[in-house]
C-alpha cells in the first residue's frame, strides 16, 4: 500500500515539475526575445541561449522532483529532463515546422535536458 501512494506522489511531483519548467521556459524565452530584439544576436548565440534555457528549466524541474523523492533523486531529475525533451520533441513534430533541426541539435538538446534534470535532482 505504501509503495502505491509513494508512486502516485512522485507522478504528481513530476507533473508539477513539468508545469513549472514550461512556465519557466516561457518566461526565459520572452527574456531571450527581448535580448535578441535589443542586441540583434546572431543564430549561434541564439542557439546557445536556447540550450541554456533547456538546461535551466530542466535543472529547476529536476531539483523540484528530487526534493520530493526519498531515494535516487538523480533518477527523478533525469526523468524530468527526459520528459521535458519528450514534450519538446512532440510539440516540435506536431507544429509541422518547415525548418527541421538536424540530428546533432536533437542529440544536444536531449543531452542538455537529461543532464540538466539529473544535475537538478542531485542538488536537491
Amino acid at each position: 500500500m505504501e509503495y502505491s501512494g509513494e508512486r502516485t506522489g512522485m507522478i504528481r511531483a513530476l507533473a508539477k515539475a513539468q508545469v513549472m519548467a514550461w512556465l519557466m521556459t516561457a518566461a526565459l524565452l520572452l527574456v531571450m526575445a527581448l535580448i535578441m530584439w535589443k542586441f540583434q544576436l546572431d543564430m549561434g548565440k541564439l542557439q546557445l541561449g536556447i540550450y541554456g534555457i533547456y538546461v535551466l528549466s530542466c535543472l529547476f524541474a529536476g531539483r523540484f522532483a528530487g526534493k520530493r523523492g526519498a531515494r535516487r533523486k538523480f533518477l527523478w531529475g533525469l526523468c524530468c529532463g527526459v520528459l521535458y525533451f519528450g514534450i519538446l520533441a512532440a510539440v516540435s513534430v506536431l507544429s509541422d515546422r518547415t525548418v527541421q533541426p538536424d540530428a546533432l541539435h536533437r542529440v544536444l538538446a536531449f543531452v542538455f535536458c537529461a543532464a540538466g534534470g539529473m544535475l537538478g535532482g542531485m542538488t536537491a
Side-chain angles (χ1 to χ4, degrees), residues 21-65:
W22 284 103
L23 290 173
M24 184 175 189
T25 298
L28 290 173
L29 284 174
L30 180 62
V31 170
M32 182 79 163
L34 292 172
I35 290 171
M36 281 186 55
W37 175 66
K38 179 80 172 162
F39 298 108
Q40 303 294 320
L41 300 178
D42 63 2
M43 286 302 289
K45 291 178 183 162
L46 171 67
Q47 191 65 46
L48 187 64
I50 290 172
Y51 288 146
I53 290 170
Y54 293 163
V55 170
L56 287 174
S57 296
C58 291
L59 185 87
F60 183 69
R63 186 167 170 79
F64 180 83

Side-chain angles (χ1 to χ4, degrees), residues 1 6 19-20:
M1 269 311 177
E6 181 181 339
V19 169
M20 292 187 334

Side-chain angles (χ1 to χ4, degrees), residues 5-121:
E6 181 181 339
R7 184 173 46 185
T8 303
M10 282 312 300
I11 290 172
R12 283 188 185 145
L14 284 174
K16 286 180 184 178
Q18 288 301 306
V19 169
M20 292 187 334
W22 284 103
L23 290 173
M24 184 175 189
T25 298
L28 290 173
L29 284 174
L30 180 62
V31 170
M32 182 79 163
L34 292 172
I35 290 171
M36 281 186 55
W37 175 66
K38 179 80 172 162
F39 298 108
Q40 303 294 320
L41 300 178
D42 63 2
M43 286 302 289
K45 291 178 183 162
L46 171 67
Q47 191 65 46
L48 187 64
I50 290 172
Y51 288 146
I53 290 170
Y54 293 163
V55 170
L56 287 174
S57 296
C58 291
L59 185 87
F60 183 69
R63 186 167 170 79
F64 180 83
K67 284 187 176 189
R68 303 308 182 266
R71 297 172 290 163
R72 299 184 180 141
K73 296 175 183 218
F74 71 97
L75 283 177
W76 290 112
L78 179 65
C79 286
C80 277
V82 170
L83 184 59
Y84 182 93
F85 176 79
I87 294 169
L88 181 69
V91 168
S92 178
V93 167
L94 293 175
S95 70
D96 195 33
R97 297 183 314 174
T98 57
V99 178
Q100 296 294 324
D102 61 1
L104 176 63
H105 288 293
R106 288 182 187 150
V107 169
L108 282 174
F110 176 79
V111 168
F112 286 138
C113 290
M118 187 166 59
L119 184 62

